[in-house]
Amino acid sequence: MCQHQPPCPSADSADRESARLVAHHPEQGWSLLCNGVVLFEDTGELLPDGRIIDPHRPLDPSRVMTAA
């Protein structure tokens, strides 16, 4: 699917979220990556084969960084 050089990580790869953005819709809370992964703003993912990856935000509020 990916035409970039070097190619983006596949949807099955552990670093799949580092693929390039193809479409970004922050008003709807999702982005489409080059590898076919739909990435949601809550950090959940929908893989091209239909598998769902649950959100994986940090749960400890002391570890969340905020803008100054």
Side-chain angles (χ1 to χ4, degrees):
M1 184 183 286
C2 178
Q3 302 298 318
H4 300 112
Q5 290 301 323
C8 292
S10 72
D12 293 325
S13 175
D15 61 345
R16 64 181 155 260
E17 294 176 14
S18 64
R20 293 188 189 189
L21 284 174
V22 174
H24 182 58
H25 295 278
E27 72 283 0
Q28 296 176 359
W30 64 273
S31 299
L32 175 63
L33 304 180
C34 182
N35 55 10
V37 172
V38 178
L39 181 62
F40 296 97
E41 71 178 14
D42 70 354
T43 69
E45 301 171 25
L46 178 61
L47 303 184
D49 64 4
R51 287 183 290 154
I52 297 170
I53 306 298
D54 289 332
H56 44 276
R57 287 182 177 166
L59 298 177
D60 182 359
S62 68
R63 296 183 59 191
V64 176
M65 297 178 68
T66 57

